[in-house]
């Protein structure tokens, strides 16, 4: 897992450029920006391009407070554990659900 904020080369990229980077790296992308990335997903499907998955989250579902961030991390870990193959998320969108503790 790599946060876009952690890599200076990703700062200031457009959403399309960020998705292209994730695709080139064969990585799924986790985002709260559902509207823009859902449109990029639709455009990719229409044009026959693929990506390695979009995982949508919501701050209502996963609070971003320091005390609560562990819920997001556990949910991502459980999600990725359930989707282990390299192509498990290919050209799909998913809503992240809380992990069952």
């Amino acid at each position: 897992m790599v946060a876009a904020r952690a890599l200076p080369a990703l700062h200031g990229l457009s959403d399309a450029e960020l998705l292209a980077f994730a695709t080139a790296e064969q990585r799924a992308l986790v985002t709260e920006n559902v509207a823009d990335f859902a449109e990029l997903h639709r455009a990719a499907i229409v044009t026959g391009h693929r990506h390695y998955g979009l995982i949508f989250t919501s701050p209502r579902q996963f609070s971003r407070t320091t005390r609560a961030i562990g819920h997001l991390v556990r949910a991502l870990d459980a999600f990725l554990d359930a989707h282990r193959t390299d192509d498990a998320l290919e050209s799909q969108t998913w809503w992240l659900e809380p992990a069952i503790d």
Side-chain angles (χ1 to χ4, degrees):
M1 230 180 294
V2 176
R5 292 182 191 185
L7 297 176
L10 301 181
H11 296 185
L13 291 184
S14 69
D15 294 338
E17 292 168 327
L18 192 55
L19 183 57
F21 174 84
T23 300
E25 294 284 314
Q26 298 182 353
R27 293 177 180 269
L29 195 142
V30 179
T31 183
E32 291 179 359
N33 186 351
V34 176
D36 291 344
F37 281 96
E39 183 58 36
L40 289 170
H41 168 72
R42 281 189 288 276
I45 297 303
V46 167
T47 60
H49 292 92
R50 68 180 193 171
H51 57 75
Y52 285 85
L54 293 167
I55 303 168
F56 298 135
T57 67
S58 165
R60 283 180 268 159
Q61 185 76 293
F62 297 99
S63 173
R64 298 303 191 262
T65 64
T66 303
R67 292 185 65 184
I69 200 69
H71 296 292
L72 175 64
V73 172
R74 281 191 298 281
L76 280 169
D77 187 49
F79 180 85
L80 295 173
D81 191 48
H83 300 88
R84 290 181 177 263
T85 63
D86 290 343
D87 62 351
L89 308 178
E90 187 176 314
S91 297
Q92 297 181 48
T93 61
W94 298 82
W95 275 96
L96 188 64
E97 298 289 332
I100 299 172
D101 292 329

XYZ file of all heavy atoms in Angstrom:
790
model
N 0.844 -1.163 0.000
C 0.000 0.000 0.000
C 0.899 1.238 0.000
O 1.865 1.296 0.747
C -0.865 0.000 1.264
C -2.312 0.208 0.963
S -3.390 0.220 2.404
C -3.295 -1.428 3.022
N 0.549 2.192 -0.843
C 1.306 3.439 -0.925
C 0.316 4.591 -0.941
O -0.626 4.582 -1.738
C 2.166 3.485 -2.211
C 2.859 4.821 -2.340
C 3.168 2.362 -2.227
N 0.514 5.558 -0.088
C -0.336 6.748 -0.088
C 0.195 7.744 -1.110
O 1.397 7.982 -1.190
C -0.352 7.388 1.297
N -0.714 8.302 -1.907
C -0.300 9.295 -2.913
C 0.414 10.472 -2.257
O 1.339 11.032 -2.834
C -1.510 9.776 -3.707
N 0.008 10.807 -1.059
C 0.657 11.925 -0.349
C 2.101 11.607 0.035
O 2.890 12.509 0.261
C -0.124 12.274 0.909
C -1.470 12.856 0.621
C -2.166 13.221 1.892
N -3.559 13.535 1.601
C -4.392 13.981 2.486
N -4.012 14.173 3.737
N -5.623 14.243 2.148
N 2.417 10.326 0.105
C 3.766 9.920 0.519
C 4.778 9.997 -0.614
O 5.977 9.965 -0.357
C 3.724 8.514 1.098
N 4.311 10.080 -1.840
C 5.222 10.125 -2.986
C 5.170 11.500 -3.644
O 4.182 11.841 -4.289
C 4.845 9.054 -4.020
C 4.940 7.605 -3.554
C 4.451 6.674 -4.651
C 6.364 7.271 -3.179
N 6.218 12.289 -3.508
C 6.225 13.634 -4.098
C 5.910 13.656 -5.594
O 5.294 14.591 -6.086
C 7.638 14.147 -3.818
C 8.081 13.396 -2.608
C 7.448 12.037 -2.740
N 6.277 12.610 -6.322
C 6.016 12.564 -7.765
C 4.519 12.550 -8.075
O 4.117 12.881 -9.191
C 6.672 11.334 -8.374
N 3.697 12.196 -7.101
C 2.252 12.132 -7.325
C 1.518 13.411 -6.933
O 0.348 13.566 -7.261
C 1.652 10.944 -6.557
C 2.223 9.580 -6.916
C 1.540 8.490 -6.099
C 2.100 9.301 -8.396
N 2.216 14.304 -6.262
C 1.579 15.562 -5.831
C 1.164 16.370 -7.049
O 1.931 16.536 -8.001
C 2.526 16.390 -4.968
C 2.881 15.721 -3.682
N 3.639 16.322 -2.718
C 2.592 14.497 -3.178
C 3.809 15.508 -1.700
N 3.182 14.387 -1.966
N -0.050 16.853 -7.050
C -0.521 17.723 -8.115
C -1.011 17.006 -9.364
O -1.409 17.654 -10.324
N -0.991 15.666 -9.367
C -1.483 14.941 -10.530
C -3.009 15.062 -10.602
O -3.692 15.100 -9.578
C -1.116 13.464 -10.464
C 0.345 13.088 -10.611
C 0.493 11.569 -10.609
C 0.947 13.666 -11.869
N -3.530 15.065 -11.810
C -4.979 15.030 -11.983
C -5.469 13.637 -11.608
O -4.677 12.686 -11.485
C -5.345 15.341 -13.436
O -4.936 14.269 -14.273
N -6.774 13.506 -11.454
C -7.333 12.190 -11.140
C -6.994 11.181 -12.240
O -6.647 10.038 -11.950
C -8.849 12.283 -10.965
C -9.241 13.113 -9.743
O -8.415 13.268 -8.829
O -10.386 13.593 -9.722
N -7.107 11.608 -13.484
C -6.796 10.708 -14.609
C -5.326 10.284 -14.569
O -5.004 9.115 -14.823
C -7.123 11.378 -15.938
N -4.445 11.212 -14.259
C -3.020 10.888 -14.180
C -2.741 9.945 -13.005
O -1.911 9.039 -13.118
C -2.190 12.163 -14.043
C -2.199 13.026 -15.282
C -1.617 14.408 -15.054
O -1.753 14.964 -13.936
O -1.028 14.949 -16.014
N -3.439 10.153 -11.903
C -3.262 9.282 -10.738
C -3.745 7.864 -11.048
O -3.073 6.878 -10.715
C -4.010 9.851 -9.536
C -3.723 9.249 -8.185
C -2.236 9.273 -7.853
C -4.509 9.971 -7.113
N -4.872 7.745 -11.741
C -5.355 6.423 -12.127
C -4.396 5.772 -13.126
O -4.119 4.573 -13.034
C -6.762 6.505 -12.706
C -7.400 5.166 -13.085
C -7.453 4.202 -11.905
C -8.783 5.386 -13.672
N -3.865 6.548 -14.040
C -2.896 6.015 -15.006
C -1.647 5.514 -14.285
O -1.099 4.453 -14.627
C -2.532 7.068 -16.048
N -1.182 6.262 -13.281
C -0.024 5.830 -12.496
C -0.323 4.510 -11.785
O 0.477 3.570 -11.832
C 0.369 6.903 -11.476
C 1.460 6.464 -10.543
C 2.791 6.570 -10.917
C 1.155 5.918 -9.300
C 3.803 6.134 -10.067
C 2.161 5.487 -8.442
C 3.487 5.591 -8.829
N -1.490 4.440 -11.122
C -1.860 3.218 -10.402
C -1.953 2.042 -11.369
O -1.504 0.932 -11.057
C -3.184 3.420 -9.669
N -2.497 2.284 -12.551
C -2.622 1.231 -13.552
C -1.243 0.765 -14.014
O -0.988 -0.446 -14.110
C -3.463 1.719 -14.743
O -4.766 2.083 -14.260
C -3.586 0.651 -15.813
N -0.348 1.699 -14.276
C 1.009 1.336 -14.707
C 1.728 0.523 -13.636
O 2.525 -0.361 -13.948
C 1.799 2.598 -15.051
N 1.423 0.811 -12.384
C 2.031 0.092 -11.260
C 1.264 -1.180 -10.899
O 1.638 -1.867 -9.958
C 2.095 1.010 -10.031
C 3.021 2.194 -10.188
C 4.466 1.796 -10.071
O 4.812 1.036 -9.138
O 5.275 2.244 -10.914
N 0.177 -1.435 -11.607
C -0.711 -2.568 -11.344
C -1.227 -2.548 -9.906
O -1.216 -3.547 -9.183
C -0.029 -3.897 -11.671
C 0.339 -4.017 -13.120
C 0.964 -5.354 -13.471
O 1.251 -6.180 -12.609
N 1.179 -5.566 -14.753
N -1.710 -1.370 -9.516
C -2.241 -1.172 -8.164
C -3.693 -0.737 -8.225
O -4.085 0.008 -9.110
C -1.465 -0.076 -7.426
C -0.041 -0.418 -7.118
C 0.638 0.764 -6.447
N 2.001 0.495 -6.125
C 2.414 -0.004 -4.959
N 1.543 -0.286 -4.026
N 3.691 -0.216 -4.751
N -4.458 -1.186 -7.257
C -5.799 -0.653 -7.069
C -5.660 0.721 -6.422
O -4.636 1.021 -5.795
C -6.618 -1.574 -6.175
N -6.667 1.539 -6.574
C -6.651 2.882 -6.014
C -7.793 3.012 -5.017
O -8.933 2.641 -5.328
C -6.816 3.895 -7.154
C -6.483 5.329 -6.823
C -5.796 5.973 -8.014
C -7.728 6.097 -6.471
N -7.508 3.499 -3.830
C -8.511 3.709 -2.785
C -8.776 5.207 -2.716
O -7.840 6.003 -2.600
C -8.006 3.201 -1.415
C -9.050 3.447 -0.336
C -7.621 1.731 -1.493
N -10.053 5.590 -2.792
C -10.384 7.009 -2.827
C -11.759 7.296 -2.249
O -12.647 6.443 -2.276
C -10.318 7.551 -4.276
O -10.565 8.957 -4.281
C -11.320 6.860 -5.178
N -11.921 8.515 -1.750
C -13.233 9.037 -1.361
C -13.857 9.824 -2.514
O -15.021 10.171 -2.462
C -13.101 9.976 -0.156
C -12.736 9.283 1.117
C -12.590 10.245 2.279
O -12.745 11.474 2.098
O -12.316 9.772 3.391
N -13.095 10.092 -3.540
C -13.546 10.907 -4.671
C -14.346 10.028 -5.643
O -13.914 9.731 -6.752
C -12.341 11.542 -5.366
C -12.733 12.503 -6.447
O -13.901 12.608 -6.823
N -11.756 13.214 -6.969
N -15.518 9.634 -5.216
C -16.330 8.685 -5.966
C -16.783 9.276 -7.304
O -16.684 8.615 -8.342
C -17.545 8.232 -5.130
C -18.450 7.312 -5.932
C -17.071 7.560 -3.846
N -17.265 10.496 -7.305
C -17.821 11.083 -8.533
C -16.803 11.096 -9.667
O -17.086 10.624 -10.771
C -18.340 12.487 -8.257
N -15.616 11.607 -9.406
C -14.612 11.726 -10.467
C -14.058 10.372 -10.896
O -13.900 10.100 -12.089
C -13.464 12.634 -10.029
C -13.898 14.092 -9.898
O -14.972 14.452 -10.423
O -13.149 14.867 -9.273
N -13.774 9.504 -9.935
C -13.189 8.218 -10.297
C -14.226 7.254 -10.881
O -13.887 6.420 -11.714
C -12.424 7.607 -9.127
C -11.073 8.233 -8.965
C -10.862 9.265 -8.068
C -10.011 7.811 -9.745
C -9.620 9.867 -7.947
C -8.758 8.396 -9.627
C -8.563 9.435 -8.729
N -15.494 7.379 -10.504
C -16.530 6.572 -11.150
C -16.642 6.970 -12.620
O -16.811 6.104 -13.491
C -17.869 6.742 -10.440
N -16.510 8.249 -12.917
C -16.538 8.701 -14.312
C -15.313 8.194 -15.069
O -15.426 7.765 -16.221
C -16.607 10.222 -14.379
C -16.706 10.763 -15.780
C -17.913 10.241 -16.557
O -18.978 10.049 -15.962
O -17.774 10.016 -17.773
N -14.150 8.218 -14.462
C -12.949 7.672 -15.103
C -13.105 6.169 -15.348
O -12.675 5.656 -16.377
C -11.711 7.955 -14.249
C -11.266 9.414 -14.220
C -10.192 9.616 -13.159
C -10.775 9.853 -15.589
N -13.733 5.473 -14.419
C -13.993 4.042 -14.596
C -14.909 3.824 -15.793
O -14.622 2.978 -16.651
C -14.618 3.463 -13.323
C -15.184 2.104 -13.496
N -14.403 0.980 -13.647
C -16.472 1.681 -13.577
C -15.177 -0.089 -13.785
N -16.435 0.321 -13.754
N -15.996 4.585 -15.870
C -16.919 4.443 -17.001
C -16.206 4.707 -18.322
O -16.382 3.973 -19.293
C -18.108 5.390 -16.836
C -19.152 4.878 -15.868
C -20.403 5.732 -15.888
N -20.222 7.025 -15.264
C -20.309 7.282 -13.970
N -20.587 6.285 -13.140
N -20.134 8.488 -13.491
N -15.392 5.758 -18.352
C -14.659 6.079 -19.580
C -13.699 4.951 -19.957
O -13.565 4.618 -21.138
C -13.891 7.392 -19.410
N -13.052 4.356 -18.989
C -12.126 3.248 -19.261
C -12.886 2.062 -19.845
O -12.426 1.438 -20.811
C -11.391 2.849 -17.983
N -14.032 1.751 -19.296
C -14.822 0.622 -19.784
C -15.275 0.876 -21.219
O -15.151 0.010 -22.091
C -16.036 0.363 -18.863
C -15.576 -0.030 -17.458
C -16.965 -0.689 -19.461
C -14.669 -1.221 -17.380
N -15.762 2.076 -21.481
C -16.259 2.415 -22.827
C -15.146 2.353 -23.861
O -15.366 1.900 -24.992
C -16.924 3.814 -22.813
C -17.160 4.337 -24.218
C -18.224 3.770 -22.036
N -13.957 2.791 -23.486
C -12.846 2.833 -24.445
C -12.020 1.551 -24.472
O -11.064 1.450 -25.228
C -11.917 4.025 -24.152
O -11.388 3.889 -22.822
C -12.659 5.351 -24.298
N -12.394 0.586 -23.637
C -11.681 -0.682 -23.637
C -10.377 -0.673 -22.867
O -9.569 -1.583 -23.012
N -10.168 0.337 -22.038
C -8.969 0.373 -21.199
C -9.259 -0.319 -19.873
O -10.400 -0.382 -19.433
C -8.532 1.821 -20.951
C -8.033 2.492 -22.178
N -8.848 3.230 -23.001
C -6.809 2.521 -22.738
C -8.145 3.696 -24.011
N -6.897 3.271 -23.879
N -8.220 -0.812 -19.266
C -8.404 -1.460 -17.977
C -7.669 -0.688 -16.896
O -6.792 0.134 -17.166
C -7.940 -2.897 -18.019
C -6.455 -3.054 -18.177
C -6.085 -4.502 -18.206
N -4.650 -4.612 -18.045
C -4.029 -5.750 -17.855
N -4.708 -6.862 -17.787
N -2.728 -5.780 -17.721
N -8.043 -0.976 -15.683
C -7.324 -0.479 -14.513
C -7.315 -1.618 -13.510
O -7.896 -2.675 -13.756
C -7.958 0.807 -13.955
C -9.407 0.677 -13.579
N -9.818 0.024 -12.450
C -10.531 1.102 -14.193
C -11.137 0.061 -12.357
N -11.598 0.703 -13.426
N -6.656 -1.440 -12.401
C -6.505 -2.527 -11.442
C -7.412 -2.400 -10.231
O -7.160 -2.977 -9.189
C -5.033 -2.679 -11.037
C -4.271 -3.338 -12.155
C -3.762 -2.593 -13.206
C -4.143 -4.714 -12.207
C -3.114 -3.195 -14.274
C -3.495 -5.335 -13.266
C -2.982 -4.568 -14.290
O -2.359 -5.185 -15.350
N -8.496 -1.662 -10.401
C -9.527 -1.592 -9.373
C -9.598 -0.242 -8.692
O -8.595 0.442 -8.510
N -10.820 0.117 -8.372
C -11.099 1.334 -7.605
C -11.885 0.920 -6.372
O -12.930 0.266 -6.480
C -11.911 2.323 -8.436
C -11.189 2.908 -9.637
C -12.165 3.619 -10.557
C -10.102 3.858 -9.173
N -11.381 1.295 -5.216
C -12.027 0.979 -3.950
C -12.491 2.301 -3.355
O -11.671 3.170 -3.043
C -11.066 0.258 -2.992
C -10.519 -1.006 -3.658
C -11.768 -0.060 -1.675
C -9.355 -1.644 -2.925
N -13.800 2.450 -3.236
C -14.375 3.696 -2.733
C -14.604 3.607 -1.232
O -15.009 2.568 -0.706
C -15.699 3.995 -3.431
C -15.575 4.207 -4.915
C -16.466 3.618 -5.787
C -14.574 5.002 -5.444
C -16.375 3.814 -7.153
C -14.462 5.204 -6.814
C -15.368 4.611 -7.668
N -14.337 4.715 -0.570
C -14.587 4.821 0.866
C -15.368 6.100 1.131
O -15.521 6.945 0.253
C -13.278 4.862 1.676
O -12.593 6.077 1.396
C -12.396 3.682 1.393
N -15.814 6.232 2.356
C -16.548 7.425 2.767
C -16.121 7.815 4.172
O -15.983 6.943 5.030
C -18.051 7.128 2.755
O -18.758 8.116 3.449
N -15.939 9.118 4.414
C -15.585 9.523 5.780
C -16.736 9.264 6.761
O -16.514 9.182 7.958
C -15.277 11.017 5.654
C -15.957 11.452 4.407
C -16.000 10.252 3.511
N -17.951 9.090 6.269
C -19.059 8.730 7.156
C -18.926 7.276 7.610
O -19.302 6.944 8.725
C -20.403 8.933 6.459
C -20.797 10.402 6.417
C -22.108 10.578 5.728
N -21.760 10.821 4.328
C -22.539 10.648 3.310
N -23.755 10.217 3.484
N -22.127 10.889 2.093
N -18.397 6.446 6.741
C -18.217 5.024 7.064
C -16.933 4.788 7.867
O -16.890 3.941 8.740
C -18.172 4.209 5.771
C -18.112 2.721 5.959
C -19.438 2.129 6.347
O -19.936 2.388 7.437
N -20.002 1.333 5.482
N -15.891 5.560 7.522
C -14.584 5.410 8.165
C -14.081 6.779 8.590
O -13.529 7.527 7.790
C -13.571 4.767 7.201
C -13.933 3.379 6.784
C -14.555 3.143 5.571
C -13.672 2.304 7.618
C -14.902 1.865 5.187
C -14.021 1.018 7.240
C -14.639 0.796 6.026
N -14.249 7.103 9.841
C -13.776 8.375 10.375
C -12.262 8.472 10.199
O -11.547 7.472 10.295
C -14.129 8.473 11.859
O -13.549 9.615 12.426
N -11.777 9.665 9.915
C -10.340 9.855 9.699
C -9.615 10.377 10.945
O -8.498 10.840 10.857
C -10.093 10.823 8.537
C -10.619 10.338 7.201
C -10.010 8.982 6.844
N -10.296 8.631 5.464
C -11.270 7.822 5.083
N -12.070 7.287 5.983
N -11.461 7.559 3.810
N -10.248 10.251 12.096
C -9.576 10.654 13.321
C -8.453 9.665 13.626
O -8.488 8.502 13.189
C -10.552 10.695 14.516
O -11.027 9.371 14.760
C -11.705 11.649 14.254
N -7.485 10.113 14.352
C -6.349 9.263 14.714
C -6.814 8.006 15.432
O -6.302 6.919 15.192
C -5.362 10.051 15.600
O -4.966 11.223 14.892
C -4.148 9.228 15.938
N -7.805 8.149 16.288
C -8.286 6.994 17.057
C -9.037 5.993 16.193
O -9.099 4.818 16.522
C -9.198 7.461 18.184
C -8.451 8.239 19.254
C -9.350 8.565 20.381
N -9.759 7.302 21.019
C -10.613 7.234 22.007
N -11.163 8.307 22.490
N -10.933 6.071 22.533
N -9.635 6.440 15.090
C -10.495 5.567 14.299
C -9.850 5.037 13.021
O -10.413 4.165 12.372
C -11.782 6.309 13.946
N -8.670 5.525 12.660
C -8.060 5.140 11.385
C -7.793 3.637 11.302
O -7.788 3.048 10.224
C -6.778 5.959 11.095
C -6.439 5.911 9.598
C -5.613 5.487 11.938
C -7.399 6.649 8.730
N -7.629 2.999 12.442
C -7.416 1.556 12.470
C -8.563 0.785 11.843
O -8.357 -0.279 11.250
N -9.800 1.304 11.928
C -10.956 0.648 11.307
C -10.786 0.595 9.789
O -11.084 -0.424 9.164
C -12.256 1.380 11.654
C -12.582 1.350 13.104
N -12.931 0.199 13.777
C -12.627 2.343 14.018
C -13.163 0.483 15.037
N -12.981 1.779 15.214
N -10.308 1.680 9.207
C -10.067 1.720 7.761
C -8.964 0.734 7.378
O -9.100 -0.026 6.416
C -9.707 3.128 7.309
C -9.315 3.284 5.837
C -10.488 2.953 4.931
C -8.805 4.690 5.570
N -7.902 0.731 8.136
C -6.777 -0.164 7.850
C -7.219 -1.625 7.948
O -6.907 -2.443 7.072
C -5.592 0.129 8.800
C -4.500 -0.921 8.651
C -5.049 1.522 8.542
N -7.984 -1.977 8.967
C -8.467 -3.358 9.110
C -9.412 -3.728 7.964
O -9.359 -4.845 7.439
C -9.155 -3.555 10.466
C -8.174 -3.745 11.613
C -8.856 -4.200 12.888
N -9.832 -3.244 13.407
C -9.525 -2.141 14.095
N -8.269 -1.841 14.342
N -10.461 -1.350 14.537
N -10.268 -2.797 7.563
C -11.192 -3.070 6.463
C -10.429 -3.296 5.158
O -10.749 -4.209 4.394
C -12.195 -1.924 6.319
N -9.433 -2.463 4.894
C -8.618 -2.646 3.691
C -7.865 -3.975 3.733
O -7.805 -4.690 2.736
C -7.625 -1.494 3.526
C -8.179 -0.218 2.940
C -7.172 0.919 3.083
C -8.564 -0.418 1.488
N -7.314 -4.297 4.879
C -6.588 -5.558 5.025
C -7.517 -6.741 4.768
O -7.167 -7.667 4.033
C -5.970 -5.643 6.421
C -5.068 -6.842 6.577
O -4.202 -7.059 5.709
O -5.228 -7.573 7.582
N -8.719 -6.719 5.343
C -9.679 -7.809 5.140
C -10.120 -7.876 3.679
O -10.238 -8.967 3.109
C -10.894 -7.621 6.052
N -10.355 -6.722 3.066
C -10.769 -6.680 1.665
C -9.695 -7.279 0.764
O -9.974 -8.125 -0.078
C -11.068 -5.241 1.253
C -11.502 -5.113 -0.170
C -12.821 -5.293 -0.520
C -10.583 -4.829 -1.167
C -13.222 -5.200 -1.847
C -10.966 -4.728 -2.489
C -12.297 -4.920 -2.832
N -8.468 -6.843 0.954
C -7.377 -7.350 0.121
C -7.106 -8.824 0.384
O -6.744 -9.563 -0.527
C -6.124 -6.504 0.319
C -6.267 -5.059 -0.166
C -5.032 -4.246 0.216
C -6.528 -4.994 -1.656
N -7.298 -9.256 1.610
C -7.128 -10.671 1.936
C -8.165 -11.514 1.199
O -7.875 -12.636 0.770
C -7.240 -10.882 3.445
C -6.809 -12.259 3.867
O -5.729 -12.713 3.441
O -7.566 -12.901 4.627
N -9.369 -10.968 1.012
C -10.432 -11.693 0.312
C -10.284 -11.632 -1.208
O -10.959 -12.370 -1.920
C -11.787 -11.132 0.723
N -9.427 -10.750 -1.695
C -9.224 -10.567 -3.141
C -7.734 -10.673 -3.452
O -7.092 -9.708 -3.823
C -9.775 -9.206 -3.579
C -11.230 -9.047 -3.316
N -11.708 -8.580 -2.115
C -12.301 -9.301 -4.094
C -13.027 -8.553 -2.173
N -13.415 -8.983 -3.349
N -7.191 -11.842 -3.315
C -5.748 -12.051 -3.370
C -5.137 -12.093 -4.762
O -3.987 -11.759 -4.929
C -5.382 -13.349 -2.657
C -5.554 -13.265 -1.176
C -5.148 -14.592 -0.540
N -5.224 -14.525 0.885
C -4.190 -14.286 1.669
N -3.003 -14.098 1.164
N -4.340 -14.250 2.973
N -5.852 -12.529 -5.766
C -5.227 -12.697 -7.077
C -4.927 -11.356 -7.722
O -5.576 -10.354 -7.441
C -6.116 -13.533 -8.027
O -7.336 -12.841 -8.248
C -6.386 -14.912 -7.448
N -3.939 -11.344 -8.603
C -3.510 -10.099 -9.246
C -4.626 -9.427 -10.018
O -4.660 -8.213 -10.131
C -2.328 -10.354 -10.182
C -1.058 -10.701 -9.421
O -0.987 -10.443 -8.205
O -0.132 -11.227 -10.057
N -5.541 -10.210 -10.560
C -6.604 -9.634 -11.374
C -7.958 -9.591 -10.661
O -8.987 -9.331 -11.280
C -6.745 -10.391 -12.691
C -7.129 -11.843 -12.493
O -7.121 -12.328 -11.345
O -7.446 -12.498 -13.507
N -7.979 -9.802 -9.376
C -9.232 -9.877 -8.618
C -10.058 -8.593 -8.693
O -11.281 -8.644 -8.635
C -8.951 -10.220 -7.163
N -9.421 -7.459 -8.826
C -10.131 -6.180 -8.846
C -10.127 -5.530 -10.224
O -10.651 -4.434 -10.394
C -9.490 -5.206 -7.843
C -9.320 -5.720 -6.418
C -8.630 -4.666 -5.565
C -10.642 -6.115 -5.821
N -9.556 -6.202 -11.198
C -9.322 -5.593 -12.503
C -10.587 -4.986 -13.097
O -11.608 -5.647 -13.249
C -8.744 -6.617 -13.471
C -8.337 -5.999 -14.788
C -7.666 -6.993 -15.716
O -6.787 -7.738 -15.240
O -8.031 -7.011 -16.891
N -10.497 -3.692 -13.393
C -11.554 -2.912 -14.047
C -12.884 -2.963 -13.310
O -13.950 -2.902 -13.913
C -11.709 -3.348 -15.497
O -10.508 -3.079 -16.195
N -12.820 -3.049 -11.986
C -14.020 -3.080 -11.160
C -13.982 -1.951 -10.140
O -12.915 -1.432 -9.814
C -14.130 -4.407 -10.415
C -14.263 -5.602 -11.328
C -14.392 -6.874 -10.527
O -15.179 -6.957 -9.595
N -13.592 -7.867 -10.874
N -15.164 -1.621 -9.637
C -15.255 -0.679 -8.522
C -15.873 -1.420 -7.344
O -16.689 -2.326 -7.522
C -16.123 0.549 -8.868
O -17.450 0.126 -9.182
C -15.532 1.337 -10.028
N -15.460 -1.032 -6.169
C -15.941 -1.655 -4.939
C -16.152 -0.582 -3.888
O -15.414 0.392 -3.838
C -14.902 -2.635 -4.381
C -14.583 -3.771 -5.285
C -13.707 -3.762 -6.336
C -15.119 -5.078 -5.232
N -13.666 -4.986 -6.934
C -14.533 -5.819 -6.270
C -16.043 -5.701 -4.398
C -14.830 -7.149 -6.489
C -16.334 -7.035 -4.625
C -15.738 -7.743 -5.658
N -17.145 -0.766 -3.040
C -17.301 0.063 -1.840
C -16.707 -0.718 -0.689
O -17.069 -1.883 -0.464
C -18.775 0.370 -1.559
C -19.266 1.548 -2.320
C -19.932 1.552 -3.498
C -19.085 2.918 -1.955
N -20.186 2.835 -3.890
C -19.683 3.702 -2.970
C -18.484 3.560 -0.880
C -19.705 5.083 -2.929
C -18.502 4.941 -0.848
C -19.104 5.682 -1.852
N -15.808 -0.094 0.029
C -15.175 -0.743 1.179
C -16.174 -0.816 2.339
O -16.801 0.182 2.685
C -13.923 0.029 1.598
C -13.063 -0.631 2.662
C -12.475 -1.944 2.134
C -11.937 0.310 3.078
N -16.297 -1.980 2.915
C -17.177 -2.211 4.054
C -16.332 -2.413 5.308
O -15.213 -2.931 5.220
C -18.035 -3.463 3.823
C -18.947 -3.367 2.629
C -20.091 -2.395 2.847
O -20.499 -2.193 4.013
O -20.580 -1.841 1.837
N -16.857 -2.051 6.470
C -16.098 -2.287 7.700
C -15.785 -3.771 7.888
O -16.579 -4.633 7.499
C -17.031 -1.794 8.796
C -17.949 -0.837 8.122
C -18.119 -1.370 6.729
N -14.632 -4.038 8.435
C -14.245 -5.414 8.730
C -15.059 -5.919 9.907
O -15.416 -5.159 10.807
C -12.754 -5.488 9.050
N -15.357 -7.185 9.875
C -16.058 -7.798 11.008
C -15.013 -8.205 12.024
O -14.121 -8.981 11.734
C -16.877 -9.019 10.543
C -17.923 -8.567 9.521
C -17.528 -9.719 11.726
C -18.654 -9.701 8.843
N -15.111 -7.609 13.191
C -14.107 -7.885 14.238
C -14.380 -9.169 14.960
O -15.375 -9.694 15.084
C -14.048 -6.741 15.249
C -13.487 -5.469 14.605
O -12.659 -5.577 13.698
O -13.920 -4.398 15.022
